[in-house]
Amino acid sequence: DVVEDYPEGQPFAVNAWTLERGCRWEDDATSPQAYLEEEDVVYGEGGWKLSCDALWPERDKSISFIGFTPIEAFGACTLAEGVTCTYDMLQAQTDIMYTDPQTYVDKVECGGIVIMPFRHALCQVDFEVKNRVAKNEEIIIKSIKIDGVKHTGSFRSLPEPTWTVEGEPVCLTFFEGNQYTRNVPDRIGGTWLTIPQALDTNVSVEYEYRTAANTGFTATLKTCQLQTNLKPGRHYTYTLSVGIDD
């Protein structure tokens, strides 16, 4: 897996709870006490810092954090469900990120620094295209669409990160225009931030075939079934190999 750097220009928020030493987060998620609620964390000289003047709790308590960004994308952050949100990928293409609970943090043991490894709630989907025709023939791509993708859903990060997809599948357009192809894969069109789900659909490809004599035709064909279990945090690139009639 590729480890990304968190973007310096993107603030995030944290919620935090204190817990008496000797108590376990896993045993009783109702006993911790709220300590920070949607407090901004911003990047400045020396690194990431809270925008408020919060102090560490007493030494007889540990503290647990959950981070999330962008703040406005989430409906709530609670001990029972973690961060929650509803998302419509047709209305917003927002990279939703969050952390697992960073539990039992102690100021002395951590040196006053809290490590916040973020996870992506969504995945990414895009396309490459190549042709399978002779050098004096051409394949020109007109459009690429996935026929059926569910675009709305609800997310919760606890007790396990879970998406509940909703509604009827819609057609997602990845490319419209005119792109000449080569016999090696090239990127084409845009990338969709997509709700993780089990795909069982086709890709529709409209293309123009041209001969050396400048004759040809335009056609729209469908691929075999895409049966992919899209998982959060993954980047899926499908490569289309387009011939004269397939």
Side-chain angles (χ1 to χ4, degrees):
D1 292 345
V2 177
V3 178
E4 307 169 51
D5 290 330
Y6 186 88
E8 291 184 1
Q10 182 171 330
F12 61 92
V14 294
N15 280 23
W17 299 263
T18 58
L19 188 67
E20 298 289 338
R21 290 191 180 275
C23 297
R24 285 171 47 86
W25 171 285
E26 297 85 350
D27 294 338
D28 185 2
T30 63
S31 61
Q33 300 297 308
Y35 199 69
L36 298 173
E37 185 173 356
E38 292 190 6
E39 289 294 343
D40 290 337
V41 181
V42 296
Y43 189 82
E45 185 177 352
W48 292 92
K49 296 181 180 179
L50 284 169
S51 58
C52 67
D53 295 325
L55 301 176
W56 285 84
E58 300 87 347
R59 287 302 312 281
D60 61 347
K61 296 178 181 178
S62 67
I63 189 167
S64 300
F65 298 88
I66 295 177
F68 48 99
T69 184
I71 302 170
E72 62 273 11
F74 291 92
C77 178
T78 67
L79 290 172
E81 295 186 319
V83 289
T84 60
C85 72
T86 57
Y87 185 77
D88 184 340
M89 52 187 276
L90 300 183
Q91 299 299 318
Q93 283 284 283
T94 304
D95 189 9
I96 300 173
M97 295 189 288
Y98 67 97
T99 71
D100 293 329
Q102 307 302 300
T103 55
Y104 311 117
V105 179
D106 177 89
K107 176 185 178 181
V108 175
E109 293 177 1
C110 74
I113 298 173
V114 182
I115 306 299
M116 302 288 283
F118 276 84
R119 302 174 65 175
H120 294 278
L122 300 167
C123 63
Q124 298 181 69
V125 179
D126 53 30
F127 283 90
E128 293 181 344
V129 63
K130 61 182 292 250
N131 69 46
R132 296 195 320 279
V133 296
K135 290 184 179 180
N136 59 355
E137 299 172 329
E138 294 178 335
I139 295 288
I140 305 165
I141 303 297
K142 301 290 189 179
S143 71
I144 297 173
K145 302 176 181 180
I146 293 184
D147 292 348
V149 178
K150 291 191 174 182
H151 64 98
T152 58
S154 301
F155 175 75
R156 55 183 289 177
S157 66
L158 293 177
E160 295 291 337
T162 303
W163 276 99
T164 302
V165 291
E166 302 158 356
E168 294 298 319
V170 298
C171 177
L172 278 187
T173 298
F174 285 79
F175 175 78
E176 285 185 324
N178 291 281
Q179 180 160 326
Y180 288 80
T181 60
R182 303 186 297 161
N183 61 359
V184 294
D186 290 311
R187 280 289 306 276
I188 184 170
T191 299
W192 276 94
L193 287 167
T194 306
I195 294 174
Q197 59 191 278
L199 291 182
D200 187 8
T201 186
N202 304 92
V203 178
S204 295
V205 182
E206 182 184 3
Y207 65 97
E208 181 181 356
Y209 165 70
R210 306 298 298 174
T211 68
N214 203 32
T215 62
F217 58 85
T218 299
T220 300
L221 296 177
K222 294 182 183 295
T223 65
C224 60
Q225 290 289 107
L226 285 187
Q227 294 180 318
T228 309
N229 185 18
L230 300 179
K231 297 181 179 180
R234 300 289 186 179
H235 189 153
Y236 298 88
T237 298
Y238 291 103
T239 300
L240 299 171
S241 180
V242 184
I244 295 174
D245 58 1
D246 71 332

